[in-house]
Amino acid sequence: MPSMTSPATAFASVSIPERLARLADLAMNLWWTWNDDAASLFHDLDPRLWDTTNENPVQFLQQLDPERFAVGLADPDYLRRYDAVVARFDAMLNADRSTTWVGQHAPELLDHTLAYFSAEFGLHRALPIYSGGLGVLAGDHIKEASDLGLPVVAVSLLYRHGYLSQRLTADGWQLDVPADLAPSAEPSTLVCDEDGEPLYVHVAFDRPEYPLRLAIWRVNVGRVTLYLLDSDVEGNPDWTRTISSRLYGGDQEHRLRQELILGVGGVRALRAMGIAPTYWHANEGHSAFHLLERVREYVAAGLTFDEAAERVRATTIFTTHTPVPAGHDVFPPELMDRYFAHFWPQLGLDREQFLALGRHEKTDHGFNMTALSFRLANQRNAVSERHGEITRTMWADLWPGKEPDEVPVTHVTNGIHLPTWTAAPVASLFDQEIGPDWREKSDDPATWEAIDQISDEEFWEVHCRAKSDLIAHLRERSRRRWAAGDFDPAQVVAAGPYLEEDALTIGFARRFATYKRATLIFHDPDRLARILNDPERPVQIVFAGKAHPADEGGKRLIQEIYWRARDPRFGGRIAFAEDYDMGLAAYLVAGVDLWLNNPRAPLEASGTSGMKAAVNGVPNLSILDGWWREAWLPDNSNGWGLEPSPLEGWAQDADEAEAIYEALEQRIVPCYYDRGPSGIPHAWIAVAKNAIKTVAPRFSARRMLIEYINRLYLPAATSSGNRR
Ligand SMILES: *Cc1c(COP(=O)(O)O)cnc(C)c1O
């Protein structure tokens, strides 16, 4: 059945002048998020409103005073930029696919559509349907797919309360404030049928006679379409309407219901819209029920379970993202009985056979979504070289008789979408020094040779601009919190009012998962205080990050940092910025001087924030785990690496904290403050430039996606599973 999308009603009551009418189209496609010149068209009409609407162009246009359009209309330069952006936008949308990267290098894939499933997508801070790195990676993946011209449809859930907005109490305790996402104020449109009625699909829970009804929202991401399923639909029982509303809230049963909606509902939504993917990528095990639904379809069409499973395997890619056991969903058999008793007969299986699909004796006795995914996907990968080794050992028992190094799981190291993560001042520097086509040839190391031609003066000036943008941004955030009246003076101190533009600034921002050890640098507080308070060579640290709402331990770590930030002995040189999200991340990764990462190895599967820092000329100081093990040069010429300690627990922490202090005292602080007569730190800049040159080509989403295409997508798309 062909389907159509409801007309864009988002701007029905807004009168945009004819000359600027296409702003509405730009607002409804997230392409603007990685095209700074498109973003500036909104920004320049009303910078303050752009900021207060969270850079959400849909809300922005809905709230803009119509008089403001006159600013643009009266400015020939604005109109010229508008025309150029619209022309590029149309060229992107209407391009003959044969001219794209995929058309040139993997033309077979133009006849195939990939379905990419992920429980979260981090695309922009105004669409808070992600919690951390996994979601941001999924977002970067589909943005790059758009750039390369790969035909992709993506599937996820519309979380109306998003993840959480973080507020800290005067006591430093994290409050989990739900976001409030109104689909009409987002770049999303409801998918409708030929009669203009909302298109619904149905998924059975524990009582198959009362299936749940799901609506489908469409979000445009360049040339890629993302479909978001939504259980908040009239006619559904009240208790079911909030199932898809929060990302990672609730208990195991809630989680299982969400995953049923994503997996089973996702396949049915694509079918209902007449979309026929020929290969499928499950980003982490959360979406693994989509595999069962596809098996069910084949069995309904007459295949045996084994034949059906073989077809599904041949056409499926599965990526696992963490070696942390708690990161893998496991559902108790009682829950599986409740929700799948009506389902397994449709697969041609009995209970035992069905539960065996999710068995992983080594770690548990429940239904393990990662084990299920490994069993039903022939293309399997981890996300860094080291994570590949760990994964093969961790899951070796799924392949009895195989040694870990024979386990058929490969790795594709993560990468970041450079046009998204390169800060505007740095991107203009690249435009000017490399040429505007650096984005299209970013995976070629030769592209980045030109970095050496940039004068140190110019390079430093651009970095200092990003740094002062960060500090101004942090001040403005805390000023607003103060003005809102619920912030006490001690909280203002913790938010970083004393940060200095001239001091070496360390950034540490990530989810407060325990293995990331956010408080490691406080291991010896006296020594840290001496480093920070050196009157000649001061050092300051900016922290940010959210703890999972159910993670008391993570919240205590945040509280500890908050108290340290207020402690006079650290001289106001520690700040905690509330509400870490993609917006704050963009300021931090470009605006600090050094990016710190000290996970407990080998638990950081890849990590991506350090890549974002490096491409902006901010070197890393990091434990050699995940991606940094592959990127670091042993002479420290592109950043600083710390060998993981062979010890365990407290002794390991002590050892690694010592190594951090020593690196700061002996090498990093002296290097930063070694200034020539002009006040420029030439030795530091050499490291920063080398960070860009070595990280940008190899840790870009472009390199990553091309690797997926050549090694995993082509075999899946052209496999025998796609016999017609
Ligand atoms: C990039 C990013 C992450 C992932 O960072 P890691 O280094 O992998 O921990 C998490 N959250 C946000 C908001 C990000 O932008």
Side-chain angles (χ1 to χ4, degrees), residues 228-564:
L228 302 175
L229 297 155
D230 179 11
S231 69
D232 189 2
V233 169
E234 232 164 281
N236 280 337
D238 279 349
W239 68 269
T240 62
R241 295 183 63 165
T242 54
I243 291 175
S244 61
S245 69
R246 267 201 206 196
L247 177 58
Y248 301 147
D251 58 10
Q252 259 187 330
E253 183 161 8
H254 183 82
R255 186 73 177 258
L256 183 135
R257 290 174 180 144
Q258 287 191 325
E259 295 186 5
L260 269 169
I261 293 177
L262 173 63
V264 178
V267 175
R268 293 183 185 170
L270 296 177
R271 302 302 185 209
M273 292 183 290
I275 297 168
T278 49
Y279 63 119
W280 308 66
H281 186 165
N283 188 44
E284 194 52 295
H286 311 126
S287 63
F289 290 142
H290 95 267
L291 301 162
L292 297 179
E293 172 64 4
R294 287 166 52 213
V295 171
R296 189 196 64 76
E297 290 180 332
Y298 281 128
V299 170
L303 269 57
T304 66
F305 172 82
D306 287 339
E307 291 163 348
E310 207 38 58
R311 290 268 183 110
V312 169
R313 276 186 202 111
T315 50
T316 302
I317 300 96
F318 168 59
T319 304
T320 179
H321 282 272
T322 180
V324 180
H328 300 264
D329 286 320
V330 181
F331 297 116
E334 313 82 75
L335 267 188
M336 296 306 289
D337 286 344
R338 194 176 310 155
Y339 286 84
F340 284 89
H342 71 279
F343 196 94
W344 62 63
Q346 300 179 60
L347 302 179
L349 300 180
D350 63 23
R351 179 175 183 274
E352 273 313 295
Q353 293 166 324
F354 177 75
L355 292 180
L357 288 173
R359 189 159 298 147
H360 183 225
E361 301 289 355
K362 198 166 120 188
T363 52
D364 56 68
H365 295 281
F367 193 90
N368 186 310
M369 296 292 274
T370 306
L372 172 69
S373 307
F374 275 132
R375 288 198 174 94
L376 286 178
N378 275 354
Q379 284 76 28
R380 315 170 189 92
N381 73 291
V383 293
S384 72
E385 187 180 24
R386 179 79 177 124
H387 180 227
E389 293 163 16
I390 302 290
T391 301
R392 286 187 288 275
T393 306
M394 193 169 164
W395 300 92
D397 59 321
L398 296 186
W399 289 271
K402 282 205 195 298
E403 291 299 313
D405 61 357
E406 302 165 345
V407 166
V409 178
T410 183
H411 75 271
V412 176
T413 303
N414 284 343
I416 54 163
H417 186 245
L418 293 181
T420 296
W421 290 109
T422 311
V426 179
S428 343
L429 183 67
F430 293 169
D431 284 344
Q432 185 188 311
E433 301 291 331
I434 302 176
D437 60 346
W438 61 269
R439 295 168 185 82
E440 286 78 52
K441 44 183 204 183
S442 63
D443 54 318
D444 179 358
T447 302
W448 301 94
E449 292 301 325
I451 295 291
D452 286 335
Q453 309 308 316
I454 303 172
S455 76
D456 284 0
E457 284 70 18
E458 190 178 11
F459 189 91
W460 198 238
E461 195 202 306
V462 167
H463 174 67
C464 291
R465 204 172 332 139
K467 191 169 178 182
S468 89
D469 286 350
L470 166 68
I471 290 176
H473 181 72
L474 294 177
R475 290 217 174 114
E476 178 61 14
R477 286 166 81 106
S478 85
R479 194 190 61 76
R480 279 199 201 147
R481 287 280 273 129
W482 173 248
D486 59 349
F487 215 44
D488 80 30
Q491 286 183 283
V492 175
V493 170
Y498 301 130
L499 294 177
E500 286 182 74
E501 301 208 357
D502 295 336
L504 167 58
T505 304
I506 301 175
F508 184 103
R510 39 190 59 83
R511 281 182 306 116
F512 273 64
T514 341
Y515 77 88
K516 301 209 184 218
R517 296 190 297 184
T519 55
L520 185 67
I521 200 162
F522 297 109
H523 193 84
D524 180 348
D526 295 330
R527 189 156 171 195
L528 178 64
R530 280 197 301 277
I531 295 173
L532 302 189
N533 292 323
D534 183 325
E536 301 296 319
R537 306 185 301 182
V539 177
Q540 54 197 10
I541 314 179
V542 182
F543 287 92
K546 297 173 183 172
H548 186 287
D551 180 8
E552 297 275 314
K555 291 184 184 179
R556 271 197 297 275
L557 295 181
I558 290 175
Q559 191 171 36
E560 181 184 339
I561 293 172
Y562 210 61
W563 278 94
R564 302 280 192 194

Side-chain angles (χ1 to χ4, degrees), residues 683-703:
W684 183 274
I685 292 170
V687 177
K689 286 180 175 173
N690 211 23
I692 298 176
K693 279 171 57 184
T694 53
V695 174
R698 281 176 54 209
F699 299 91
S700 62
R702 194 172 183 94
R703 186 277 307 153

Side-chain angles (χ1 to χ4, degrees), residues 130 132-133 136 421 510 516 580-582 585 604 607-610 612:
Y130 65 94
V136 176
W421 290 109
R510 39 190 59 83
K516 301 209 184 218
Y580 181 48
D581 66 359
M582 291 176 71
E604 184 85 293
T608 50
S609 61
K612 299 169 194 167

